[in-house]
Amino acid sequence: TSGPTHEPIDPVRYIANRSSGKQGHAIARALAKLGADVTLVSGPVTIPDPDGVKTIHVERAEEMHDAVVSRLPADIGVFVAAVADWRVATSADQKIKKQPGDAPPALQLTENPDILKTVGHHEKRPKLVIGFAAETQNVEANGLSKLERKGADYILANNVSADTGIMGGAHNRVTLISKSAVDHWPDMSKSEVAERLAALIAKTFS
Ligand code: C5P
């Protein structure tokens, strides 16, 4: 998975996040370059579909969840998308109008499905399940607890605080977390992170 999700409020408004899809798309491309048969489930992004990859476009987390689960079984699952944790419980069919004197509308939120967690505990669980953890504090501790909770083999944790420029930018600095090790990767381009991860994946399958 790659990119953000858009959760509609009404036909013209949505809740979103700053994910660009650059890291997820680069991983899809790097795996395809190594010969993997890759399906990329992408949220709304402005970057092109990677060459050599079957790309499925979705908008909402629930659509992303359904697209991913319908592709199982798979050997490897890599979950890079910044999926919205919540959606508006009942999005409006018509544009919500501002009426003079009315209070601002209150949005009632409800939880979205956790795609990584679903796949990490699925009866058709891929042999290798990899997730990301975008954090602004306690990066390693939060990454470790996600590894456990979501049933992943690896979590790539990164600090996406505004001053790092990582969200939407071309570079990334990740910490690779598994049950047995924590490995701090240096600052690299998102393509380099993708190639290093793809090489690691290939090694576990050779
Ligand atoms: O949002 P969170 O920090 O929990 O994301 C950690 C990992 O879980 C990421 O790999 C993300 O793609 C995945 N995730 C998901 N579905 C969600 C939320 C997160 O697949 N609803």
Side-chain angles (χ1 to χ4, degrees):
T1 65
S2 181
T5 63
H6 285 181
E7 307 299 331
I9 296 170
D10 67 18
V12 297
R13 306 183 179 98
Y14 55 83
I15 298 173
N17 62 64
R18 298 183 193 282
S19 169
S20 64
K22 285 179 188 161
Q23 186 62 83
H25 279 52
I27 292 168
R29 191 180 300 111
L31 286 167
K33 240 167 80 182
L34 292 187
D37 173 12
V38 181
T39 302
L40 171 65
V41 182
S42 173
V45 295
T46 57
I47 57 175
D49 294 351
D51 287 337
V53 168
K54 178 179 167 42
T55 304
I56 300 173
H57 295 273
V58 298
E59 294 253 325
R60 300 180 291 111
E62 287 179 299
E63 290 170 343
M64 186 175 277
H65 170 275
D66 293 351
V68 166
V69 171
S70 75
R71 299 295 300 185
L72 297 177
D75 295 316
I76 305 156
V78 189
F79 300 87
V80 195
V83 184
D85 289 321
W86 304 283
R87 66 178 181 277
V88 177
T90 317
S91 62
D93 291 338
Q94 305 296 332
K95 185 182 173 194
I96 302 169
K97 300 295 286 179
K98 188 170 73 172
Q99 304 289 2
D102 274 7
L107 297 178
Q108 173 75 45
L109 302 181
T110 189
E111 207 167 311
N112 268 331
D114 190 316
I115 303 163
L116 171 59
K117 193 170 164 194
T118 302
V119 174
H121 295 95
H122 203 278
E123 56 177 10
K124 294 182 193 162
R125 183 191 191 277
K127 287 185 210 77
L128 197 57
V129 174
I130 300 174
F132 271 68
E135 305 291 343
T136 55
Q137 53 188 351
N138 305 329
V139 176
E140 220 172 287
N142 286 333
L144 254 171
S145 85
K146 276 179 195 172
L147 184 80
E148 282 290 324
R149 195 154 24 96
K150 301 198 184 221
D153 299 296
Y154 291 106
I155 288 284
L156 286 93
N158 54 7
N159 185 339
V160 294
S161 301
D163 60 352
T164 65
I166 286 176
M167 210 125 185
H171 278 246
N172 207 349
R173 182 196 285 265
V174 305
T175 301
L176 179 76
I177 301 173
S178 68
K179 278 206 176 104
S180 56
V182 172
D183 188 10
H184 297 279
W185 291 6
D187 192 289
M188 287 186 276
S189 72
K190 288 184 176 172
S191 309
E192 287 167 334
V193 170
E195 279 156 23
R196 188 157 163 178
L197 179 64
L200 177 89
I201 291 170
K203 219 168 92 187
T204 65
F205 274 81
S206 60

